[in-house]
Amino acid sequence: ISVNDPKIVVGPKEGFDAAVLEYDGKNYLVIATDPILGVPKEHFGFFTYHFASSDVAVFGAMPKWLIVNLLLPNGTTEEDLNSVMRELNAECKKYGTSIIGGHTGVYSTTRNFTATTTAIGIVKKDELRLPLAKPGDDIVITKGIAIEFAVGAAWFRAEELKKILSPSQISSLQEMYTLETVVKDASLAKKFARGMHDVTEGGLTTLHEIADNSEVGFEVYYEKLHMPPLVKKVVKFYGVNALTVSSTGTLIIISPQENTSKLIKVLHSHGINASTVGKFTEEKERVLIKKGRKEEFPKFEKDAYAEMY
């Protein structure tokens, strides 16, 4: 239950992963909170930074401050904690972010490394980006789909993957954990984008949230969707639907058509793969076009990433 607070510009709403508050008349505060669990312990600090920070970045703000809550299991050593903090601090320095508070504790009820991070950023009012589309806007995505699922398999199901991948290929997939962020993508895209949304639980079915909130439809061309070759092998091996599986690090950019070519050029110039995969439409249909035939775009029912890991 919320009070009627005029400072709240964007509150809790499906499809909006951050809150927006009035700040100083010229700027907004953008605030997001995310849990960190079920990720490789070896890079826990990376995810502790990027999950919540990505949700701030897609609203057009750069993450300026973090509040970090670390819940650690019995047996955690001082070196374990130092390792997390070294990696977390390295990401903070990279993006000009400060940790301003939080909590650290060891608990017998906690089985694995777990955290929550609250990220806070500032954005000029005319640079706020909300995940809303207009008919005719292009759908641009970065990096490709199903990357998070395949990277998770490389870390947590490496023995199984030896049936289809070499040890060096599994190592290559594991190192792709660095793609599971959209902070850089969003900071480059915001100048050209109408809005942005990162692709997490449910994969590209998040397009339904954008369409619902914008009162538009959309069409996606299956053949234009990109998956890195190793990701494609893993998806095929497990028989999962690449459209509906969690893909943290993939950014959906809602791009006015006149901006799309410049947007993609800028992303490519910074080493980020990006392509146009469809568009938003005035008709309310949600369509997947596969081999020239139209079919209903899948809806979120279950996510193979959560089931497996």
Side-chain angles (χ1 to χ4, degrees):
I1 299 173
S2 301
V3 297
N4 185 18
D5 185 344
K7 288 283 188 181
I8 300 172
V9 179
V10 176
K13 188 174 183 180
E14 187 174 3
F16 287 68
D17 292 334
V20 180
L21 302 179
E22 284 281 354
Y23 183 55
D24 62 4
K26 296 180 180 179
N27 301 286
Y28 292 128
L29 275 184
V30 179
I31 307 170
T33 296
D34 253 336
I36 302 91
L37 68 168
V39 300
K41 177 183 174 182
E42 293 86 345
H43 295 292
F44 196 82
F46 176 89
F47 296 106
T48 299
Y49 179 84
H50 281 282
F51 281 1
S53 294
S54 290
D55 284 342
V56 166
V58 298
F59 276 53
M62 283 301 290
K64 190 169 180 62
W65 304 290
L66 294 187
I67 299 170
V68 180
N69 183 26
L70 290 170
L71 308 177
L72 307 172
N74 280 337
T76 299
T77 66
E78 187 174 345
E79 178 51 34
D80 288 335
L81 177 59
N82 287 339
S83 177
V84 171
M85 294 310 298
R86 279 194 297 269
E87 189 173 46
L88 174 56
N89 277 316
E91 296 305 311
C92 285
K93 287 180 179 179
K94 190 183 297 182
Y95 295 101
T97 310
S98 298
I99 298 172
I100 59 170
H103 171 83
T104 304
V106 174
Y107 301 92
S108 60
T109 52
T110 302
R111 294 184 179 181
N112 301 298
F113 275 49
T114 305
T116 58
T117 302
T118 297
I120 306 167
I122 297 175
V123 63
K124 292 179 181 178
K125 288 191 172 184
D126 62 353
E127 294 179 4
L128 180 69
R129 298 291 180 261
L130 298 179
L132 299 171
K134 291 185 178 181
D137 286 345
D138 286 326
I139 301 169
V140 176
I141 67 167
T142 65
K143 301 188 183 98
I145 57 175
I147 293 172
E148 182 183 20
F149 176 83
V151 172
W155 281 101
F156 302 123
R157 300 290 186 97
E159 284 301 312
E160 287 180 1
L161 287 185
K162 288 179 180 177
K163 296 175 183 177
I164 59 165
L165 300 178
S166 68
S168 65
Q169 287 176 319
I170 293 172
S171 294
S172 294
L173 261 182
Q174 289 178 341
E175 289 307 305
M176 288 170 66
Y177 78 90
T178 58
L179 299 180
E180 293 183 44
T181 170
V182 299
V183 174
K184 183 178 178 181
D185 313 34
S187 68
L188 293 168
K190 63 184 180 182
K191 178 180 177 182
F192 307 96
R194 189 184 308 282
M196 299 176 282
H197 201 310
D198 55 339
V199 179
T200 53
E201 187 181 18
L204 286 182
T205 63
T206 193
L207 286 167
H208 288 293
E209 293 178 340
I210 297 172
D212 287 342
N213 290 325
S214 307
E215 298 185 346
V216 296
F218 61 83
E219 57 185 36
V220 172
Y221 291 86
Y222 183 82
E223 283 75 22
K224 292 187 178 182
L225 296 171
H226 172 69
M227 275 189 287
L230 291 179
V231 172
K232 190 176 289 188
K233 284 188 175 184
V234 174
V235 166
K236 184 177 179 181
F237 177 69
Y238 286 109
V240 302
N241 185 343
L243 296 175
T244 64
V245 72
S246 190
S247 190
T248 298
T250 300
L251 178 65
I252 293 174
I253 304 166
I254 304 161
S255 175
Q257 284 187 342
E258 62 271 20
N259 293 352
T260 300
S261 61
K262 291 179 183 178
L263 165 66
I264 291 175
K265 185 176 181 180
V266 166
L267 290 166
H268 284 176
S269 71
H270 286 81
I272 298 173
N273 181 58
S275 58
T276 305
V277 301
K279 64 181 179 180
F280 292 96
T281 61
E282 196 161 354
E283 298 77 21
K284 300 301 190 289
E285 289 182 307
R286 287 93 184 270
V287 174
L288 179 67
I289 301 173
K290 195 173 184 179
K291 295 181 179 179
R293 299 183 63 181
K294 290 185 177 183
E295 58 185 74
E296 187 178 354
F297 199 87
K299 294 182 179 178
F300 176 61
E301 294 177 354
K302 58 182 180 179
D303 192 320
Y305 184 89
E307 290 187 335
M308 286 185 65
Y309 312 134

